Amino acid sequence: MTIAHNSSAYDVVVVGAGAAGLSAALSAHEDLHTDGRRGTVALLERATRELRGGNTRWSGAFLRLKDETTPVDGLADYGLAVSQGHASRAYYEALTARVPEAFGWLVAKGVQLVDGPTIFLTASATRYQPVGGGEHIVETLFDAVEQTDIAVHYETSAEHLVTAEDGSVVGVRVRTPDGRLQTLGAGAVILAAGGFQGNPEMMARYCGANAYRIPPISRGGRHNRGDGLRMALEAGAGTEGQFDLFHAEPKDPRSQVAEAVVMTFPYGIVVNTQGQRFIDEGADTVDQTYEKVARGIVRQPGSLAYAVFDQQVMSTPGYEHAVLTDVDPVQADTVADLEAELGMPPGSLVATVEAYNAACPQDRDAYDPLALDGLAATPPGQPAKSNWARPIERGPFFAYPQICANVFTFGGVRTDLEARVLTADGYVIPHLYGAGEMTGLYYEMYAGSTSVMRSVTFGRAAGRHAAAQIPAATGGAR
């Protein structure tokens, strides 16, 4: 196919500059510069230089690892279990096998990973985290990019794939910072543009009513508008993952900080605007329940809830790591006064707290905030609470507003284990790759702390496989 005159040509064009895109671009560049080759790579970033890094930049970037380079035991079984059997076992097994090499590479680039305190005071598995969260991954890998000749195009949005008559991808049509269209020829295109949580139309189409009440959890999510998914579908891609679901977190809507979560909710109660409990706050470890709590909030009046506490919660070990909002809670000396401050119907929160307190066990010796303690309560007319059922009785009392926020969407492009995009019938679309959150994997529930892990791993796989297909003799685009 003839490329338009207002064009440039590269061996590999990567769309998106989060963990997946950066890993892909650097890996492709490294492999294109072996054995005397001099291949070319372009990296497209919709955001400004200051806000670069996609969703990753704003993420805590928790990693389901037991050391810097080793996945926790049973990762594939866990991924299958939380998806109720719908996820790809082959994908999880490939992820497990490839993480050691990919994360050895990441650490060698200078990314520091630590087993430190997290927002999850109770958890089902160990987590590692970059020092400084996802921003550390982004800036460390961009430092590496800037030491190469990778062409970084900021404020540039990919709009359409360019295909040849046989369906192979030969370039991408982009919108440049001045608003003009330009065609970038490519030997391969790697789509790593995130999900569609920043696109209200797609959210309403796939996730249904009241989707407008579910904002992206961070500024980076607003750039994820589903363009990678749309372009791939236009080129014939198949899909995978649950399109009507997304990774949810409860967030303080007053705060502008990334992931303004309050993960101490198991040690209090969560009520709606009518002062009523609607969920078991202590059903499991917090890393296994926060998503269910967030989704439950959407179904409440106004899609708003409050996490309510007394002063006893302040003594919870690690409390400061589990509350990331930078806005002070609403506080009052009595439950009745707190009820009034929150604008709830008179007597509603008071009645809920009184019934809850009366149902809490009198013997509190079993209370253990760092383990499932079995301290349960079944208040009449309220959901049961399976663990950490301790009366709310020591003022001043306080509450954090909570909404459901969208970390990323589950539905995405279908890929094989080399990150090649596949059609619905399983055919490879030549020279088209996908990695990260725009590729489908998750169903029913997010497999916690695997998103950045798979983005790095399969971003690297995409970059290396794409580079391997570029003819060594040319040193340039097909």
Side-chain angles (χ1 to χ4, degrees), residues 110-395:
V111 174
Q112 301 176 52
L113 304 177
V114 295
D115 178 15
T118 75
I119 59 174
F120 305 121
L121 302 187
T122 56
S124 58
T126 58
R127 263 94 166 165
Y128 271 66
Q129 184 182 23
V131 175
E135 183 177 357
H136 174 56
I137 292 178
V138 167
E139 291 304 323
T140 301
L141 294 186
F142 259 113
D143 285 346
V145 165
E146 289 166 353
Q147 294 173 30
T148 73
D149 60 358
I150 294 173
V152 181
H153 298 262
Y154 291 108
E155 300 179 71
T156 301
S157 301
E159 295 200 354
H160 300 282
L161 294 171
V162 181
T163 57
E165 290 185 2
D166 64 358
S168 60
V169 172
V170 296
V172 60
R173 194 82 164 145
V174 305
R175 185 80 59 178
T176 61
D178 61 2
R180 297 173 181 267
L181 286 173
Q182 180 181 6
T183 299
L184 304 182
V189 174
I190 302 173
L191 299 175
F196 54 86
Q197 65 268 37
N199 185 327
E201 185 274 333
M202 291 183 76
M203 280 294 297
R205 187 195 324 168
Y206 291 120
C207 297
N210 296 327
Y212 71 93
R213 296 178 178 173
I214 308 168
I217 197 165
S218 70
R219 295 173 70 182
R222 298 190 186 105
H223 291 120
N224 291 358
R225 299 173 195 159
D227 294 319
L229 172 62
R230 175 185 52 76
M231 290 188 294
L233 292 178
E234 289 172 352
T239 61
E240 200 158 0
Q242 187 171 348
F243 272 77
D244 61 350
L245 213 57
F246 54 91
H247 176 32
E249 285 188 354
K251 174 186 177 179
D252 184 344
R254 305 168 304 165
S255 176
Q256 297 302 311
V257 303
E259 286 196 284
V261 296
V262 179
M263 290 296 187
T264 53
F265 61 83
Y267 313 121
I269 59 174
V270 179
V271 299
N272 59 24
T273 57
Q274 304 304 298
Q276 299 167 335
R277 289 181 61 237
F278 56 89
I279 201 162
D280 181 351
E281 303 91 345
D284 204 338
T285 54
V286 68
D287 67 331
Q288 296 290 89
T289 55
Y290 70 88
E291 194 165 44
K292 182 179 290 187
V293 169
R295 291 178 185 164
I297 292 171
V298 177
R299 297 189 291 272
Q300 301 308 305
S303 299
L304 177 67
Y306 295 93
V308 177
F309 306 96
D310 72 354
Q311 292 298 308
Q312 295 177 93
V313 73
M314 303 296 289
S315 62
T316 304
Y319 175 85
E320 67 277 11
H321 300 294
V323 179
L324 300 188
T325 177
D326 59 346
V327 183
D328 292 336
V330 179
Q331 184 167 298
D333 290 333
T334 68
V335 173
D337 288 343
L338 182 63
E339 175 187 273
E341 289 286 337
L342 300 176
M344 294 175 178
S348 59
L349 182 61
V350 170
T352 293
V353 171
E354 287 178 349
Y356 169 77
N357 286 353
C360 289
Q362 295 300 309
D363 182 5
R364 303 178 199 172
D365 291 342
Y367 182 80
D368 182 352
L370 302 185
L372 297 172
D373 61 9
L375 204 63
T378 308
Q382 298 183 23
K385 187 172 183 182
S386 302
N387 294 279
W388 307 297
R390 183 170 63 173
I392 296 173
E393 58 188 4
R394 188 179 302 167

